[in-house]
Amino acid sequence: MKELRLMKGNEAVAEAAIRAGADGYFGYPITPQSEVLEYLMAERPFERTGMFVLQAESEVAAINMIYGAASTGKRVFTSSSSPGVSLKQEGISYIAGAELPCLILNVVRGGPGLGTIQPSQCDYFQSTKGGGHGDYRLIVLAPASVQEMYDFVDLGFELGAKYLNPVLILSDGVIGQMMEKVELSEQKPRMTEAEIIAKFPWATTGKTPNRERNIITSLNLIPEIQEKHVEKLHQKYLKIQKNEVRFEKFQCDDAEYLLVAYGSSARICQKAVDFAREKGLKLGLLRPITLFPFPTEPIAEMAKQVKGILTVEMSLGQMVEDVRLAVNGKVKVEHYGRVGGMIPSPDGVLKALEQLIIGG
């Protein structure tokens, strides 16, 4: 019998981490994601699975704890919201440069600065382009439901281990705080030390027979070697772009116009599509599930079919740039968004479509 539970998105992530066999969580409270840490503390996962949970003294401390724990091959994750993730950027860049797997959750709130505690999608650029210094990328998953908040934890751990890369779940205050029914998976065991050594021979697990001492760092002062390392990372990102694109289409087969939206905005756009169809307007929706790698080719294919595309984001327009690059001038692409914690409505989306695309 399936185990079902009514949960907040933030709670679902925390429970998913326990059941995915995570070894540790290091984080710091910040609205609207504090329930992640609160849930983990209340559940006492060390007693359930041996998972370690620690509230660090700051976001900077938390991400560097992740860096150290990931270096040992442990399955670890952290969570925060926009200003906190900004503080983590240096550590994230170090982790990417050292090619370590870990999971990061950003429950986005409005900015810039401390901004508001209300939901937003204004961290797209930071998340998908490498928010810290250097040439690096994160694998970015964008959930549109509480169930996906749960499911993407295990997926994120798997992708991180597969590509030795940090994985970011880019959520927002809507999905983090909303409650929905969640189907829970079976408990996975944590990896043993022997399994970690076999799977991650690079891990700093102490002295083991038949290998040299492992040293993990992102520092390299020899430019020729550093150039080769950065190019190696680039080739990995190209492989990720080839193999890991995920997206969802809704009413796209006969669509004459297209909405592109992710996360909570995609849920709103799905209702806008229903309203448009009731009026006889052939509207479809393409929802990127991976923001990196971005579904460039599927959007380019839709551009051959439709008369215009409207992106909907809770920002002044960030993802719209990737959509325009994908379309490459084939059809008109415009953006509609709300900011400051304001949330678009289906009626507002349709009005923007009529003004900016159909009548524009």
Side-chain angles (χ1 to χ4, degrees):
M1 183 177 178
K2 295 179 181 178
E3 184 178 354
L4 298 176
R5 195 179 298 178
L6 184 65
M7 308 183 80
K8 281 187 175 185
N10 292 335
E11 296 169 342
V13 167
E15 180 64 29
I18 299 171
R19 296 191 180 221
D23 295 292
Y25 169 91
F26 306 94
Y28 190 79
I30 180 175
T31 305
Q33 68 79 49
S34 295
E35 290 87 356
V36 177
L37 178 56
E38 291 168 357
Y39 184 93
L40 287 170
M41 289 294 190
E43 280 295 306
R44 298 180 178 272
F46 188 82
E47 298 174 5
R48 288 173 55 180
T49 67
M51 177 184 174
F52 188 79
V53 178
L54 177 67
Q55 178 178 320
E57 61 267 35
S58 68
E59 287 89 352
V60 174
I63 196 63
N64 282 287
M65 291 174 183
I66 292 290
Y67 187 7
S71 297
T72 69
K74 298 294 186 180
R75 179 173 278 196
V76 290
F77 89 110
T78 187
S79 63
S80 193
S81 185
S82 305
V85 175
S86 293
L87 291 168
K88 295 175 187 282
Q89 289 302 318
E90 181 185 44
I92 293 172
S93 178
Y94 283 15
I95 292 168
E99 292 195 89
L100 297 173
C102 70
L103 186 64
I104 304 158
L105 169 67
N106 183 1
V107 183
V108 182
R109 68 190 227 182
L114 287 176
T116 176
I117 63 172
Q118 303 303 322
S120 179
Q121 293 179 321
C122 57
D123 293 0
Y124 179 91
F125 283 156
Q126 179 194 70
S127 304
T128 61
K129 310 302 182 186
H133 58 285
D135 287 309
Y136 79 92
R137 306 296 287 267
L138 305 178
I139 300 171
V140 183
L141 303 170
S145 66
V146 176
Q147 183 68 58
E148 286 189 340
M149 286 277 277
Y150 182 91
D151 294 340
F152 287 0
V153 170
D154 195 50
L155 174 61
F157 280 134
E158 290 178 3
L159 291 174
K162 180 178 180 180
Y163 293 101
L164 300 183
N165 206 75
V167 177
L168 175 71
I169 297 177
L170 189 66
S171 183
D172 62 60
V174 172
I175 300 171
Q177 292 294 324
M178 72 164 51
M179 298 190 76
E180 290 184 318
K181 182 173 65 177
V182 182
E183 183 178 323
L184 304 180
S185 56
E186 295 293 326
Q187 176 68 55
K188 288 186 176 181
R190 293 169 55 233
M191 292 176 64
T192 65
E193 289 297 316
E195 289 171 333
I196 290 174
I197 292 170
K199 186 172 183 178
F200 303 131
W202 46 262
T204 56
T205 52
K207 292 183 178 181
T208 59
N210 305 318
R211 73 159 171 81
E212 296 294 324
R213 181 175 59 148
N214 285 338
I215 298 175
I216 292 176
T217 180
S218 61
L219 174 66
N220 196 324
L221 299 180
I222 302 174
E224 292 84 0
I225 296 177
Q226 180 65 11
E227 182 180 47
K228 290 181 180 179
H229 177 63
V230 174
E231 179 57 33
K232 175 191 172 186
L233 295 179
H234 179 61
Q235 292 302 318
K236 176 172 68 175
Y237 304 144
L238 292 178
K239 186 177 180 180
I240 293 170
Q241 286 177 302
K242 180 180 179 181
N243 297 331
E244 303 299 343
V245 173
R246 289 169 168 81
F247 63 95
E248 181 182 47
K249 287 183 176 180
F250 180 69
Q251 301 275 40
C252 283
D253 289 346
D254 64 343
E256 295 180 354
Y257 298 95
L258 182 69
L259 302 176
V260 180
Y262 70 91
S264 55
S265 290
R267 293 176 67 121
I268 295 163
C269 285
Q270 185 168 330
K271 183 58 67 175
V273 170
D274 290 336
F275 289 168
R277 292 278 171 167
E278 291 173 2
K279 297 179 179 179
L281 179 62
K282 294 181 179 180
L283 181 62
L285 167 66
L286 189 147
R287 174 174 78 100
I289 295 174
T290 50
L291 301 182
F292 181 81
F294 192 71
T296 300
E297 291 186 9
I299 292 173
E301 285 299 311
M302 287 301 302
K304 299 175 182 178
Q305 170 185 329
V306 299
K307 301 175 182 177
I309 298 175
L310 181 71
T311 70
V312 180
E313 309 170 64
M314 288 190 291
S315 73
L316 290 177
Q318 297 185 19
M319 181 187 65
V320 63
E321 294 192 6
D322 285 332
V323 175
R324 284 178 173 143
L325 287 171
V327 169
N328 197 23
K330 292 184 177 70
V331 295
K332 186 176 185 180
V333 177
E334 296 289 352
H335 165 263
Y336 170 68
R338 301 296 301 274
V339 296
M342 299 299 292
I343 300 172
S345 67
D347 289 337
V349 171
L350 288 182
K351 185 177 180 180
L353 180 74
E354 293 167 354
Q355 292 177 344
L356 299 173
I357 301 295
I358 299 175

